[in-house]
Amino acid sequence: MTLRFGKTERSVQELYRDDPERGDAVAFGRRGALKGTALAAMGAAVGGAIPFAGNMSSGTLPALFARPAAAQGAGGQPAVLRMDGKGQLILLQERPLVAETPEHLLDEAVTSYANHFIRNNGQVPEVGTADPRAWRLTIDGEVNTPLTLTVGELESRFPVVTRQLQMECGGNGRALFSPQTRGNQWGNGAISNAEWTGVRLRDVLQAAGVKPSAIFTGQFGADPHLSGATDRAAISRGMRLAKAMDEDTLIVFRMNGQPIPHIHGAPLRLLVPGWPGSLSQKWLTRITLRDRIHDGAGMGGTSYRIPQRPMVPGSNSNGADFVEMESMPVRSILSSHAHGSRLPAGTRALDLRGAAWAGDDSVRAVHVSVDFGATWTEMQVAAPANRHAWQRWTGRVALPSDGYYEVWYRATDSQGRMQPHAAANWNPQGYGANPISRAAILVG
Ligand SMILES: Nc1nc2c(c(=O)[nH]1)N[C@H]1C(S)=C(S)[C@@H](COP(=O)(O)O)O[C@H]1N2
Ligand SMILES: [Mo]
Protein backbone atom coordinates (compact mmCIF):
# COMPACT_ATOMS: atom_id res chain seq x y z
CA MET A 1 0.00 0.00 0.00
CA THR A 2 1.49 3.33 -1.07
CA LEU A 3 0.93 6.44 0.97
CA ARG A 4 1.71 10.07 0.58
CA PHE A 5 3.71 11.43 3.50
CA GLY A 6 4.75 14.97 2.63
CA LYS A 7 6.53 14.97 -0.68
CA THR A 8 7.43 11.30 -0.81
CA GLU A 9 5.24 8.37 -1.62
CA ARG A 10 6.23 5.32 0.30
CA SER A 11 4.58 2.50 2.11
CA VAL A 12 4.41 2.71 5.90
CA GLN A 13 6.38 -0.53 5.98
CA GLU A 14 9.15 0.96 3.87
CA LEU A 15 9.21 4.15 5.85
CA TYR A 16 9.58 2.31 9.15
CA ARG A 17 12.09 -0.16 7.78
CA ASP A 18 14.36 2.46 6.26
CA ASP A 19 14.10 5.08 8.95
CA PRO A 20 12.03 4.14 12.00
CA GLU A 21 12.46 7.52 13.71
CA ARG A 22 11.39 9.45 10.65
CA GLY A 23 8.49 7.02 10.13
CA ASP A 24 7.42 7.66 13.64
CA ALA A 25 7.70 11.41 13.34
CA VAL A 26 5.70 11.40 10.11
CA ALA A 27 3.04 9.02 11.35
CA PHE A 28 2.66 10.25 14.90
CA GLY A 29 3.96 13.82 14.86
CA ARG A 30 6.15 15.43 17.49
CA ARG A 31 3.61 15.34 20.28
CA GLY A 32 2.99 11.67 19.82
CA ALA A 33 -0.65 11.73 18.73
CA LEU A 34 -1.78 10.22 15.47
CA LYS A 35 -4.00 12.79 13.78
CA GLY A 36 -5.19 14.45 10.60
CA THR A 37 -3.81 13.15 7.33
CA ALA A 38 -1.29 10.95 9.15
CA LEU A 39 -4.16 9.21 10.93
CA ALA A 40 -5.97 8.73 7.63
CA ALA A 41 -2.78 7.41 6.03
CA MET A 42 -2.15 5.00 8.88
CA GLY A 43 -5.76 3.82 8.65
CA ALA A 44 -5.31 3.21 4.94
CA ALA A 45 -2.09 1.31 5.61
CA VAL A 46 -3.60 -1.01 8.22
CA GLY A 47 -6.77 -1.44 6.17
CA GLY A 48 -9.40 0.26 8.33
CA ALA A 49 -10.21 3.01 10.76
CA ILE A 50 -8.33 2.82 14.05
CA PRO A 51 -10.96 3.29 16.77
CA PHE A 52 -8.39 3.62 19.55
CA ALA A 53 -5.83 5.62 17.58
CA GLY A 54 -5.79 8.24 20.34
CA ASN A 55 -4.04 5.70 22.59
CA MET A 56 -1.36 4.74 20.08
CA SER A 57 1.87 6.02 21.46
CA SER A 58 4.66 7.43 19.39
CA GLY A 59 7.34 4.81 19.06
CA THR A 60 4.95 1.93 18.63
CA LEU A 61 5.00 0.42 15.19
CA PRO A 62 1.58 -1.04 14.36
CA ALA A 63 1.58 -4.78 15.05
CA LEU A 64 0.52 -5.43 11.49
CA PHE A 65 4.02 -4.36 10.42
CA ALA A 66 5.97 -5.08 13.56
CA ARG A 67 5.42 -8.79 14.04
CA PRO A 68 8.39 -10.86 13.02
CA ALA A 69 7.78 -12.21 9.56
CA ALA A 70 9.56 -15.47 10.46
CA ALA A 71 11.38 -17.08 7.57
CA GLN A 72 10.42 -15.21 4.45
CA GLY A 73 10.29 -17.40 1.37
CA ALA A 74 10.87 -16.12 -2.14
CA GLY A 75 7.43 -14.54 -2.44
CA GLY A 76 7.71 -12.73 0.89
CA GLN A 77 5.51 -15.42 2.40
CA PRO A 78 6.76 -17.64 5.22
CA ALA A 79 8.22 -20.89 3.91
CA VAL A 80 6.07 -23.87 4.87
CA LEU A 81 7.43 -27.17 6.15
CA ARG A 82 6.60 -30.19 4.01
CA MET A 83 6.61 -33.30 6.14
CA ASP A 84 4.15 -36.21 6.38
CA GLY A 85 1.60 -35.68 9.13
CA LYS A 86 2.82 -32.19 9.99
CA GLY A 87 0.58 -29.14 9.79
CA GLN A 88 1.43 -25.77 8.25
CA LEU A 89 4.58 -25.18 10.27
CA ILE A 90 6.90 -22.33 9.33
CA LEU A 91 10.19 -23.62 7.97
CA LEU A 92 12.92 -21.57 9.67
CA GLN A 93 15.84 -23.62 8.42
CA GLU A 94 16.29 -26.71 6.26
CA ARG A 95 19.71 -27.85 7.45
CA PRO A 96 19.53 -28.45 10.31
CA LEU A 97 15.78 -28.82 10.12
CA VAL A 98 13.98 -26.20 12.24
CA ALA A 99 10.25 -25.42 12.06
CA GLU A 100 8.05 -23.17 14.16
CA THR A 101 4.35 -23.62 14.93
CA PRO A 102 2.26 -20.52 14.25
CA GLU A 103 0.41 -19.52 17.43
CA HIS A 104 -3.04 -20.18 15.99
CA LEU A 105 -2.12 -23.86 15.45
CA LEU A 106 -1.40 -24.20 19.17
CA ASP A 107 -5.13 -24.21 19.93
CA GLU A 108 -5.15 -27.80 21.23
CA ALA A 109 -4.90 -28.40 24.98
CA VAL A 110 -2.47 -31.21 24.23
CA THR A 111 -0.11 -30.50 21.33
CA SER A 112 -0.48 -33.06 18.54
CA TYR A 113 2.36 -34.41 16.45
CA ALA A 114 1.03 -32.29 13.56
CA ASN A 115 1.55 -29.06 15.46
CA HIS A 116 4.70 -29.83 17.44
CA PHE A 117 7.62 -27.55 16.51
CA ILE A 118 10.94 -29.07 15.39
CA ARG A 119 14.42 -28.04 16.44
CA ASN A 120 17.49 -29.94 15.29
CA ASN A 121 21.09 -28.87 15.74
CA GLY A 122 22.64 -31.68 13.74
CA GLN A 123 21.56 -34.29 11.23
CA VAL A 124 18.52 -36.47 11.78
CA PRO A 125 19.83 -39.95 12.62
CA GLU A 126 18.99 -42.85 10.29
CA VAL A 127 15.52 -44.30 10.81
CA GLY A 128 17.03 -47.79 11.11
CA THR A 129 18.94 -46.90 14.24
CA ALA A 130 15.70 -46.07 15.99
CA ASP A 131 14.74 -49.75 16.41
CA PRO A 132 13.61 -49.69 20.04
CA ARG A 133 14.72 -53.31 20.64
CA ALA A 134 18.30 -52.45 19.75
CA TRP A 135 18.39 -49.13 21.61
CA ARG A 136 20.38 -48.83 24.80
CA LEU A 137 20.76 -46.02 27.31
CA THR A 138 23.94 -45.80 29.37
CA ILE A 139 24.10 -44.12 32.78
CA ASP A 140 27.66 -43.52 33.94
CA GLY A 141 30.04 -40.95 35.39
CA GLU A 142 29.69 -40.09 39.09
CA VAL A 143 27.56 -43.14 39.91
CA ASN A 144 28.29 -46.23 42.01
CA THR A 145 27.15 -48.72 39.34
CA PRO A 146 27.05 -47.70 35.68
CA LEU A 147 23.92 -49.04 33.97
CA THR A 148 23.03 -49.95 30.42
CA LEU A 149 19.30 -50.36 29.90
CA THR A 150 17.06 -51.19 26.96
CA VAL A 151 13.82 -49.30 26.46
CA GLY A 152 11.98 -52.43 27.61
CA GLU A 153 14.04 -52.61 30.80
CA LEU A 154 13.37 -48.97 31.57
CA GLU A 155 9.66 -49.59 31.19
CA SER A 156 9.59 -52.76 33.30
CA ARG A 157 12.03 -51.77 36.08
CA PHE A 158 10.74 -48.29 36.96
CA PRO A 159 7.33 -46.73 37.67
CA VAL A 160 5.84 -45.43 34.42
CA VAL A 161 4.29 -41.95 34.55
CA THR A 162 2.28 -39.88 32.05
CA ARG A 163 2.30 -36.07 32.26
CA GLN A 164 1.45 -33.09 30.10
CA LEU A 165 4.73 -31.18 29.92
CA GLN A 166 5.67 -27.93 28.27
CA MET A 167 8.83 -27.90 26.24
CA GLU A 168 10.06 -24.53 25.00
CA CYS A 169 13.17 -23.72 23.04
CA GLY A 170 15.54 -21.44 24.97
CA GLY A 171 15.46 -19.12 21.96
CA ASN A 172 11.66 -18.86 21.77
CA GLY A 173 10.78 -15.20 21.05
CA ARG A 174 14.27 -14.46 19.70
CA ALA A 175 12.86 -12.46 16.74
CA LEU A 176 11.49 -9.95 19.25
CA PHE A 177 14.95 -8.76 20.24
CA SER A 178 16.27 -5.49 18.90
CA PRO A 179 18.92 -5.39 17.63
CA GLN A 180 18.52 -8.80 16.04
CA THR A 181 20.61 -11.61 17.50
CA ARG A 182 22.05 -14.64 15.75
CA GLY A 183 20.10 -17.89 15.67
CA ASN A 184 16.70 -19.02 14.48
CA GLN A 185 14.30 -16.10 14.44
CA TRP A 186 11.54 -17.72 16.48
CA GLY A 187 8.31 -15.88 17.16
CA ASN A 188 6.36 -17.37 20.09
CA GLY A 189 5.88 -20.78 18.50
CA ALA A 190 8.80 -22.85 19.80
CA ILE A 191 6.57 -24.25 22.52
CA SER A 192 4.64 -27.49 22.94
CA ASN A 193 2.54 -29.16 25.59
CA ALA A 194 2.32 -32.82 24.57
CA GLU A 195 1.47 -35.74 26.84
CA TRP A 196 4.64 -37.68 27.55
CA THR A 197 5.01 -41.17 29.02
CA GLY A 198 8.19 -42.50 30.51
CA VAL A 199 10.12 -42.99 33.72
CA ARG A 200 11.57 -40.46 36.12
CA LEU A 201 15.21 -39.67 35.52
CA ARG A 202 15.74 -39.60 39.28
CA ASP A 203 14.56 -43.21 39.69
CA VAL A 204 17.07 -44.34 37.09
CA LEU A 205 19.89 -42.23 38.58
CA GLN A 206 19.12 -43.59 42.04
CA ALA A 207 19.23 -47.14 40.69
CA ALA A 208 22.76 -46.39 39.49
CA GLY A 209 23.61 -44.78 42.84
CA VAL A 210 24.39 -41.06 42.73
CA LYS A 211 27.82 -40.30 44.22
CA PRO A 212 28.08 -37.23 46.49
CA SER A 213 30.51 -35.75 43.95
CA ALA A 214 27.79 -35.53 41.26
CA ILE A 215 26.53 -31.99 40.66
CA PHE A 216 25.54 -31.91 36.97
CA THR A 217 24.35 -34.13 34.13
CA GLY A 218 25.85 -34.41 30.67
CA GLN A 219 23.59 -35.93 28.00
CA PHE A 220 24.28 -37.42 24.60
CA GLY A 221 22.18 -38.37 21.58
CA ALA A 222 22.65 -40.35 18.38
CA ASP A 223 22.26 -37.51 15.89
CA PRO A 224 25.44 -36.90 13.86
CA HIS A 225 27.07 -33.50 13.84
CA LEU A 226 26.00 -31.32 10.90
CA SER A 227 29.52 -31.61 9.42
CA GLY A 228 29.43 -35.39 9.62
CA ALA A 229 32.46 -35.36 11.94
CA THR A 230 32.15 -38.44 14.14
CA ASP A 231 34.14 -36.95 17.03
CA ARG A 232 31.78 -34.02 17.48
CA ALA A 233 28.32 -34.01 19.10
CA ALA A 234 25.45 -32.12 17.48
CA ILE A 235 24.46 -31.02 20.96
CA SER A 236 25.33 -32.25 24.45
CA ARG A 237 23.82 -30.24 27.25
CA GLY A 238 23.49 -30.78 30.97
CA MET A 239 21.63 -29.53 34.00
CA ARG A 240 22.07 -29.06 37.73
CA LEU A 241 21.46 -32.25 39.66
CA ALA A 242 18.43 -30.72 41.45
CA LYS A 243 16.55 -30.39 38.14
CA ALA A 244 17.56 -33.91 37.11
CA MET A 245 16.01 -35.11 40.39
CA ASP A 246 12.75 -33.19 39.87
CA GLU A 247 9.78 -35.57 39.69
CA ASP A 248 8.75 -34.10 36.31
CA THR A 249 12.09 -34.63 34.59
CA LEU A 250 11.48 -37.77 32.56
CA ILE A 251 13.12 -40.21 30.19
CA VAL A 252 10.22 -40.69 27.78
CA PHE A 253 9.32 -43.32 25.18
CA ARG A 254 5.76 -42.31 24.27
CA MET A 255 4.28 -39.02 23.03
CA ASN A 256 0.49 -38.67 23.14
CA GLY A 257 0.13 -42.41 23.79
CA GLN A 258 2.16 -43.48 20.74
CA PRO A 259 5.82 -44.37 20.30
CA ILE A 260 7.70 -41.07 19.92
CA PRO A 261 7.80 -39.96 16.26
CA HIS A 262 11.28 -40.20 14.81
CA ILE A 263 11.79 -36.45 14.34
CA HIS A 264 11.00 -35.89 18.04
CA GLY A 265 13.67 -38.28 19.27
CA ALA A 266 12.53 -41.92 18.94
CA PRO A 267 12.80 -44.21 20.66
CA LEU A 268 13.99 -42.36 23.78
CA ARG A 269 14.43 -38.75 24.79
CA LEU A 270 14.70 -36.60 27.85
CA LEU A 271 11.87 -34.26 28.75
CA VAL A 272 13.05 -31.46 31.03
CA PRO A 273 9.95 -29.24 31.29
CA GLY A 274 10.17 -25.52 31.96
CA TRP A 275 13.90 -25.26 31.21
CA PRO A 276 15.44 -24.64 27.77
CA GLY A 277 14.26 -27.31 25.31
CA SER A 278 17.88 -28.04 24.42
CA LEU A 279 18.10 -30.05 27.65
CA SER A 280 15.44 -32.45 26.36
CA GLN A 281 17.97 -34.58 24.50
CA LYS A 282 16.47 -36.50 21.59
CA TRP A 283 17.65 -39.94 20.39
CA LEU A 284 19.06 -40.28 23.91
CA THR A 285 21.97 -42.72 24.29
CA ARG A 286 23.86 -41.67 27.40
CA ILE A 287 23.59 -39.61 30.56
CA THR A 288 26.77 -39.10 32.48
CA LEU A 289 26.88 -37.54 35.94
CA ARG A 290 29.56 -34.90 36.28
CA ASP A 291 31.45 -33.42 39.23
CA ARG A 292 31.47 -30.04 37.43
CA ILE A 293 29.30 -28.09 35.02
CA HIS A 294 29.08 -30.14 31.84
CA ASP A 295 31.24 -28.88 28.95
CA GLY A 296 29.55 -30.49 25.93
CA ALA A 297 28.35 -28.83 22.72
CA GLY A 298 25.97 -26.01 23.63
CA MET A 299 27.52 -25.35 27.05
CA GLY A 300 29.64 -22.43 28.21
CA GLY A 301 30.27 -18.93 26.84
CA THR A 302 27.07 -17.36 25.55
CA SER A 303 25.34 -20.71 24.82
CA TYR A 304 22.11 -21.03 26.78
CA ARG A 305 23.60 -18.54 29.22
CA ILE A 306 22.29 -15.09 30.07
CA PRO A 307 23.83 -11.92 31.54
CA GLN A 308 23.47 -11.30 35.25
CA ARG A 309 23.80 -7.59 34.66
CA PRO A 310 22.21 -5.94 31.62
CA MET A 311 24.62 -5.48 28.73
CA VAL A 312 24.47 -2.82 26.02
CA PRO A 313 22.20 -4.27 23.31
CA GLY A 314 24.26 -5.17 20.27
CA SER A 315 27.58 -5.25 22.11
CA ASN A 316 29.93 -8.21 22.36
CA SER A 317 30.57 -10.53 25.25
CA ASN A 318 32.33 -13.85 25.67
CA GLY A 319 29.73 -14.74 28.31
CA ALA A 320 32.35 -15.44 30.97
CA ASP A 321 30.19 -13.79 33.65
CA PHE A 322 26.87 -15.10 32.31
CA VAL A 323 24.80 -17.67 34.19
CA GLU A 324 23.11 -20.84 32.92
CA MET A 325 19.60 -20.24 31.62
CA GLU A 326 17.33 -22.36 33.79
CA SER A 327 13.59 -21.82 34.36
CA MET A 328 12.07 -20.11 31.29
CA PRO A 329 10.32 -16.75 31.74
CA VAL A 330 6.54 -16.24 31.65
CA ARG A 331 4.97 -16.12 28.18
CA SER A 332 1.52 -16.32 26.58
CA ILE A 333 0.15 -17.15 23.16
CA LEU A 334 -3.14 -16.34 21.44
CA SER A 335 -4.49 -19.37 19.59
CA SER A 336 -8.08 -18.42 18.72
CA HIS A 337 -7.20 -15.79 16.12
CA ALA A 338 -4.28 -15.69 13.71
CA HIS A 339 -2.32 -12.47 13.61
CA GLY A 340 -3.65 -10.47 10.66
CA SER A 341 -7.14 -12.06 10.76
CA ARG A 342 -10.09 -10.31 9.16
CA LEU A 343 -13.50 -10.62 10.84
CA PRO A 344 -16.94 -9.76 9.42
CA ALA A 345 -18.20 -6.17 9.68
CA GLY A 346 -20.36 -5.71 12.74
CA THR A 347 -18.30 -8.03 14.98
CA ARG A 348 -18.59 -6.42 18.41
CA ALA A 349 -16.86 -8.96 20.65
CA LEU A 350 -13.88 -11.26 20.45
CA ASP A 351 -13.96 -14.64 22.15
CA LEU A 352 -10.29 -15.22 22.78
CA ARG A 353 -8.34 -18.34 23.72
CA GLY A 354 -4.73 -19.13 24.28
CA ALA A 355 -2.16 -20.63 26.60
CA ALA A 356 0.37 -19.31 29.09
CA TRP A 357 3.23 -20.86 31.04
CA ALA A 358 6.14 -19.79 33.21
CA GLY A 359 8.93 -22.36 33.40
CA ASP A 360 8.96 -24.00 36.82
CA ASP A 361 6.36 -21.52 38.08
CA SER A 362 2.68 -21.28 37.28
CA VAL A 363 0.65 -18.48 35.70
CA ARG A 364 -1.38 -16.26 37.99
CA ALA A 365 -3.14 -14.10 35.39
CA VAL A 366 -3.52 -13.26 31.72
CA HIS A 367 -4.69 -9.80 30.66
CA VAL A 368 -5.80 -8.56 27.26
CA SER A 369 -6.02 -5.03 25.88
CA VAL A 370 -7.62 -4.02 22.58
CA ASP A 371 -7.02 -0.27 23.05
CA PHE A 372 -3.21 -0.14 22.84
CA GLY A 373 -2.71 -0.84 26.51
CA ALA A 374 -4.97 1.84 28.00
CA THR A 375 -7.29 -0.69 29.67
CA TRP A 376 -6.77 -4.39 30.35
CA THR A 377 -9.34 -7.16 30.79
CA GLU A 378 -8.50 -10.14 32.96
CA MET A 379 -9.00 -13.51 31.27
CA GLN A 380 -9.96 -16.80 32.93
CA VAL A 381 -6.87 -18.94 33.39
CA ALA A 382 -7.41 -22.68 33.95
CA ALA A 383 -5.31 -24.69 36.38
CA PRO A 384 -2.59 -26.75 34.66
CA ALA A 385 -3.37 -30.43 33.98
CA ASN A 386 -0.38 -31.08 36.25
CA ARG A 387 2.69 -29.16 37.37
CA HIS A 388 4.79 -28.11 34.35
CA ALA A 389 1.84 -28.26 31.94
CA TRP A 390 0.84 -25.03 30.25
CA GLN A 391 -2.40 -23.29 31.26
CA ARG A 392 -5.20 -22.52 28.85
CA TRP A 393 -6.92 -19.16 29.04
CA THR A 394 -10.19 -17.83 27.62
CA GLY A 395 -12.08 -14.55 27.74
CA ARG A 396 -14.18 -12.05 25.89
CA VAL A 397 -13.44 -8.45 24.96
CA ALA A 398 -15.88 -5.94 23.47
CA LEU A 399 -15.17 -3.85 20.36
CA PRO A 400 -16.88 -0.46 19.90
CA SER A 401 -16.96 -0.44 16.07
CA ASP A 402 -15.43 -1.86 12.93
CA GLY A 403 -11.78 -1.12 12.27
CA TYR A 404 -8.21 -2.05 13.03
CA TYR A 405 -7.45 -3.49 16.46
CA GLU A 406 -4.48 -4.98 18.16
CA VAL A 407 -5.05 -7.69 20.71
CA TRP A 408 -2.30 -7.23 23.28
CA TYR A 409 -1.87 -10.19 25.63
CA ARG A 410 0.40 -10.63 28.58
CA ALA A 411 0.73 -13.13 31.38
CA THR A 412 1.84 -12.74 34.99
CA ASP A 413 3.56 -15.59 36.80
CA SER A 414 2.94 -16.87 40.32
CA GLN A 415 5.72 -14.60 41.62
CA GLY A 416 4.10 -11.49 40.11
CA ARG A 417 6.51 -11.16 37.19
CA MET A 418 4.80 -9.87 34.03
CA GLN A 419 5.75 -10.04 30.40
CA PRO A 420 7.56 -6.74 29.80
CA HIS A 421 6.63 -4.17 27.14
CA ALA A 422 9.79 -4.84 25.16
CA ALA A 423 12.21 -7.78 25.10
CA ALA A 424 14.55 -7.20 28.03
CA ASN A 425 17.99 -8.41 29.06
CA TRP A 426 19.37 -8.48 25.53
CA ASN A 427 22.08 -11.12 25.07
CA PRO A 428 24.20 -12.15 22.06
CA GLN A 429 22.39 -15.42 21.32
CA GLY A 430 18.94 -14.07 22.01
CA TYR A 431 17.52 -16.07 24.92
CA GLY A 432 14.51 -15.23 27.03
CA ALA A 433 12.72 -12.57 24.96
CA ASN A 434 9.17 -12.58 26.33
CA PRO A 435 7.59 -9.19 25.65
CA ILE A 436 3.85 -8.58 25.52
CA SER A 437 2.53 -9.92 22.22
CA ARG A 438 0.32 -8.03 19.80
CA ALA A 439 -1.95 -9.60 17.18
CA ALA A 440 -3.49 -7.39 14.51
CA ILE A 441 -7.22 -7.99 13.89
CA LEU A 442 -9.29 -6.19 11.27
CA VAL A 443 -13.07 -5.97 11.64
CA GLY A 444 -14.95 -5.21 8.43
N1 LIG B 1 19.81 -35.11 20.14
C1 LIG B 1 19.29 -33.89 20.06
N2 LIG B 1 18.44 -33.49 21.00
C2 LIG B 1 17.88 -32.27 20.95
C3 LIG B 1 18.22 -31.34 19.93
C4 LIG B 1 19.13 -31.78 18.94
O1 LIG B 1 19.48 -31.05 18.01
N3 LIG B 1 19.64 -33.05 19.04
N4 LIG B 1 17.67 -30.09 19.94
C5 LIG B 1 17.22 -29.60 21.24
C6 LIG B 1 16.51 -28.35 21.18
S1 LIG B 1 17.46 -26.95 21.00
C7 LIG B 1 15.16 -28.28 21.38
S2 LIG B 1 14.37 -26.79 21.51
C8 LIG B 1 14.34 -29.51 21.46
C9 LIG B 1 13.29 -29.54 20.37
O2 LIG B 1 12.58 -30.74 20.37
P1 LIG B 1 11.62 -31.12 19.17
O3 LIG B 1 12.39 -31.09 17.89
O4 LIG B 1 11.04 -32.45 19.49
O5 LIG B 1 10.55 -30.06 19.14
O6 LIG B 1 15.12 -30.69 21.34
C10 LIG B 1 16.39 -30.62 21.96
N5 LIG B 1 17.01 -31.93 21.92
MO1 LIG C 1 16.09 -25.14 21.45
Side-chain angles (χ1 to χ4, degrees):
M1 178 146 328
T2 310
L3 301 162
R4 177 168 286 280
F5 285 129
K7 292 197 186 87
T8 45
E9 271 201 353
R10 303 166 77 189
S11 72
V12 169
Q13 291 96 320
E14 275 175 343
L15 195 65
Y16 271 101
R17 191 187 55 226
D18 298 345
D19 187 350
E21 281 176 35
R22 170 95 187 114
D24 214 53
V26 169
F28 292 94
R30 281 235 178 88
R31 284 187 307 257
L34 196 59
K35 56 186 186 294
T37 51
L39 177 58
M42 185 65 85
V46 298
I50 310 175
F52 291 112
N55 299 337
M56 277 177 103
S57 66
S58 175
T60 305
L61 178 57
L64 194 61
F65 313 129
R67 285 279 291 229
Q72 294 291 320
Q77 290 294 312
V80 174
L81 172 76
R82 307 224 172 272
M83 186 184 279
D84 270 359
K86 284 286 183 189
Q88 299 269 304
L89 269 49
I90 303 161
L91 184 67
L92 292 185
Q93 209 178 185
E94 256 169 302
R95 205 174 177 279
L97 184 62
V98 182
E100 163 162 10
T101 311
E103 281 180 47
H104 68 275
L105 294 185
L106 291 169
D107 202 33
E108 307 157 304
V110 176
T111 309
S112 60
Y113 166 71
N115 294 322
H116 197 294
F117 76 99
I118 299 170
R119 167 62 165 128
N120 293 320
N121 291 268
Q123 301 180 41
V124 178
E126 297 284 314
V127 179
T129 60
D131 178 359
R133 283 156 304 192
W135 201 269
R136 278 178 175 70
L137 170 67
T138 298
I139 308 288
D140 61 8
E142 304 296 310
V143 294
N144 296 324
T145 319
L147 298 176
T148 296
L149 298 157
T150 63
V151 178
E153 285 168 338
L154 279 172
E155 194 167 354
S156 59
R157 273 187 62 178
F158 303 97
V160 172
V161 293
T162 296
R163 315 273 284 169
Q164 283 182 30
L165 299 171
Q166 24 125 347
M167 181 175 58
E168 179 175 24
C169 182
N172 201 20
R174 180 176 291 129
L176 304 159
F177 270 120
S178 175
Q180 192 176 330
T181 62
R182 62 181 185 270
N184 294 293
Q185 296 300 306
W186 299 109
N188 283 328
I191 175 72
S192 61
N193 187 67
E195 187 187 81
W196 298 95
T197 299
V199 298
R200 293 190 179 95
L201 174 57
R202 79 164 177 215
D203 291 344
V204 179
L205 294 180
Q206 277 164 356
V210 178
K211 285 188 178 169
S213 51
I215 64 157
F216 230 81
T217 64
Q219 40 243 22
F220 297 85
D223 44 336
H225 190 267
L226 209 53
S227 67
T230 49
D231 58 343
R232 295 175 71 185
I235 190 167
S236 175
R237 304 249 306 126
M239 66 192 123
R240 268 201 285 141
L241 191 62
K243 182 65 174 176
M245 302 301 269
D246 187 291
E247 62 175 357
D248 289 338
T249 298
L250 307 181
I251 301 170
V252 294
F253 35 75
R254 281 196 284 280
M255 171 181 164
N256 298 337
Q258 302 291 320
I260 298 175
H262 186 64
I263 197 69
H264 296 302
L268 215 54
R269 79 175 297 171
L270 271 175
L271 215 296
V272 186
W275 286 30
S278 52
L279 291 167
S280 294
Q281 191 86 33
K282 302 194 277 189
W283 308 293
L284 180 69
T285 54
R286 177 178 169 223
I287 299 171
T288 189
L289 289 189
R290 310 279 323 249
D291 61 2
R292 64 200 69 186
I293 295 180
H294 184 53
D295 51 4
M299 300 293 294
T302 57
S303 283
Y304 300 101
R305 281 158 58 84
I306 47 176
Q308 289 171 276
R309 277 184 304 270
M311 58 184 290
V312 176
S315 62
N316 287 323
S317 173
N318 62 9
D321 59 349
F322 286 16
V323 291
E324 303 293 316
M325 187 183 202
E326 298 190 329
S327 180
M328 295 288 290
V330 62
R331 187 189 302 276
S332 52
I333 52 169
L334 173 70
S335 61
S336 55
H337 296 75
H339 168 59
S341 292
R342 192 171 207 129
L343 301 175
T347 302
R348 290 295 170 268
L350 295 175
D351 285 308
L352 302 172
R353 287 187 304 280
W357 60 94
D360 285 336
D361 293 310
S362 59
V363 172
R364 176 193 291 177
V366 172
H367 289 87
V368 165
S369 175
V370 289
D371 58 7
F372 301 103
T375 62
W376 292 85
T377 305
E378 186 163 3
M379 304 285 104
Q380 291 89 52
V381 182
N386 47 251
R387 182 169 158 256
H388 283 126
W390 70 13
Q391 292 167 252
R392 302 298 306 182
W393 61 267
T394 55
R396 168 174 277 213
V397 288
L399 304 177
S401 57
D402 290 356
Y404 171 82
Y405 293 91
E406 293 184 3
V407 178
W408 291 15
Y409 43 105
R410 74 162 186 225
T412 306
D413 75 14
S414 50
Q415 298 190 45
R417 292 173 298 201
M418 253 176 211
Q419 292 184 252
H421 275 269
N425 203 18
W426 188 96
N427 57 91
Q429 287 188 242
Y431 301 115
N434 68 330
I436 294 172
S437 293
R438 303 185 288 144
I441 304 276
L442 197 66
V443 177

